[in-house]
Amino acid sequence: MPRKSPLVIGHRGAPGYRPEHSRSSYELALAMGVDAVEPDVVVTKDGVLIVRHENEISGTTDVAEHPEFAERKTTKRVDGQALTGWFTEDFTWEELSTLRSRERLPEVRLSSATFNGSQAILRLTDVLDIVREGSEEHGREIGVVLEVKHATYFASVGLDLAPLIERDLREAGWADGELPLIVESFESTVLRQLKDRGIAASYVYLIEASGRPYDLTVAEGKRAPTYRATVAPDGLDRLVGDIDGISVNKRMLLEKGNTIVADAHARGLTVFTWTCRPENAFLSPEFRSSGGKSAYGDYEAEWAAIARTGVDGVFVDHPDLGVGFFRG
């Protein structure tokens, strides 16, 4: 019997064509046939959940062009890294609603950058509405893969994400299991918190190719397990019963001899991977073409290698290419 094709998830919508997390990015992803879309969730100082790749927003909004916010530029340590810019937790939702989205990678996504300044920031509730309406419009059930960002950091500044996420999911009707919901994070602590709150979802642990999860590093220091150790067989053993799956950096699946998918499947865990992109800037060296960063390389060869691992879901920036390839 042929293996079921992996879920194709629009990573922040369709950011290969429109600025990520914008309304048109999500709507385009739904029209292109994705199984689900993935909003990244951060928070404002008045407790409104918004969708941005990071809480530092100078690269994805026009905040630097607003003189009324100039004095809010600052440097902070987020997950142990020093960042300088403007941060969502220093603004109210009303203030952030005056900003407009920008393409985060204009040197690679030239066409997407032509949409700069045309669209407002979205709240999580806006994305949930877009997906619900899109499911009705396109006549198929479309899911949400909600990524919780920087939960330990936000808690340290008095903004606990779990109750805010529960609030929005319950009010939007996405918490009771009737609509397809996956919750993911690089921090297992917040996944456990949401699970304990009774949010009916599949819980997926995001895995970097290196380093340690920030929540466990804060709690345990150097005794915290590395991400690599987490996806070794004995590390996966400890995840069973706590989460439903893992989502790994694609570089890990492209390493020769890795058995991550088989090891996870043997323990009843699903495996997703991120992020399948066609441009040279993101492909492994052996799959790059002779063009520049924005030129497409031999992405189909890279994606075929990923598909052969038996992965259960893939995050894509170009939903039409992802749907066409992984469902072909």
Side-chain angles (χ1 to χ4, degrees):
M1 179 179 287
R3 184 183 58 81
K4 184 178 181 292
S5 62
L7 288 176
V8 179
I9 303 159
H11 182 238
R12 309 170 198 160
Y17 304 112
R18 301 289 188 275
E20 64 187 32
H21 293 311
S22 64
R23 177 174 291 272
S24 68
S25 183
Y26 285 110
E27 290 178 341
L28 184 58
L30 302 184
M32 287 178 166
V34 295
D35 298 300
V37 292
E38 183 232 27
D40 296 317
V41 173
V42 295
V43 67
T44 68
K45 74 177 180 180
D46 53 344
V48 177
L49 296 174
I50 65 169
V51 290
R52 290 285 97 187
H53 175 243
E54 295 292 342
N55 57 323
E56 198 289 292
I57 54 173
S58 61
T60 61
T61 74
D62 62 356
V63 64
E65 298 172 12
H66 285 250
E68 68 272 26
F69 300 139
E71 77 283 357
R72 297 197 205 177
K73 186 175 184 180
T74 188
T75 298
K76 299 188 180 191
R77 292 193 71 83
V78 180
D79 293 3
Q81 301 296 315
L83 298 173
T84 299
W86 289 262
F87 296 82
T88 61
E89 65 271 20
D90 295 332
F91 293 81
T92 65
W93 163 244
E94 183 178 3
E95 290 171 330
L96 289 178
S97 68
T98 67
L99 304 182
R100 293 298 176 264
S101 296
R102 299 181 65 88
E103 169 54 47
R104 187 170 60 91
L105 303 166
E107 70 284 359
V108 177
R109 306 269 166 84
L110 304 176
S111 176
S112 177
T114 65
F115 293 88
N116 284 354
S118 64
Q119 299 174 78
I121 292 175
L122 298 176
R123 296 164 293 187
L124 173 60
T125 52
D126 296 323
V127 176
L128 297 176
D129 288 344
I130 289 169
V131 176
R132 187 193 296 272
E133 292 162 7
S135 295
E136 294 174 0
E137 178 185 354
H138 299 293
R140 69 180 196 281
E141 189 174 66
I142 304 170
V144 168
V145 181
L146 190 163
E147 181 179 346
V148 185
K149 306 287 286 200
H150 309 304
T152 300
Y153 164 78
F154 280 124
S156 76
V157 296
L159 292 164
D160 288 322
L161 294 185
L164 301 176
I165 292 170
E166 180 186 10
R167 175 200 66 195
D168 282 6
L169 290 176
R170 292 202 184 282
E171 289 179 0
W174 282 82
D176 56 10
E178 292 188 10
L179 296 169
L181 175 66
I182 296 169
V183 180
E184 62 177 8
S185 179
F186 287 104
E187 301 181 35
S188 57
T189 304
V190 72
L191 295 180
R192 244 177 256 112
Q193 290 170 349
L194 287 165
K195 193 174 183 180
D196 289 345
R197 287 175 172 272
I199 302 300
S202 292
Y203 289 89
V204 172
Y205 195 8
L206 284 161
I207 303 292
E208 282 277 16
S210 62
R212 291 178 168 86
Y214 184 66
D215 58 333
L216 300 184
T217 299
V218 169
E220 304 175 26
K222 291 184 178 180
R223 291 175 299 148
T226 65
Y227 282 117
R228 288 274 177 177
T230 301
V231 296
D234 57 345
L236 292 172
D237 287 339
R238 288 188 284 273
L239 298 181
V240 174
D242 201 20
I243 62 165
D244 301 295
I246 57 174
S247 184
V248 301
N249 186 315
K250 70 180 175 71
R251 294 202 303 271
M252 301 174 80
L253 296 188
L254 292 169
E255 292 172 356
K256 291 183 178 179
N258 88 83
T259 58
I260 292 171
V261 175
D263 291 341
H265 283 175
R267 291 158 176 79
L269 300 170
T270 58
V271 184
F272 294 172
T273 193
W274 46 276
T275 302
C276 292
R277 296 162 165 147
E279 298 105 334
N280 283 327
F282 308 111
L283 293 172
S284 292
E286 64 268 34
F287 300 115
R288 294 171 191 163
S289 70
S290 59
K293 288 184 178 181
S294 62
Y296 287 8
D298 190 6
Y299 68 90
E300 291 184 322
E302 182 182 272
W303 294 5
I306 290 169
R308 285 194 294 271
T309 67
V311 72
D312 302 292
V314 294
F315 290 85
V316 300
D317 280 8
H318 300 71
D320 55 339
L321 301 182
V323 169
F325 181 85
F326 288 102
R327 291 204 195 131

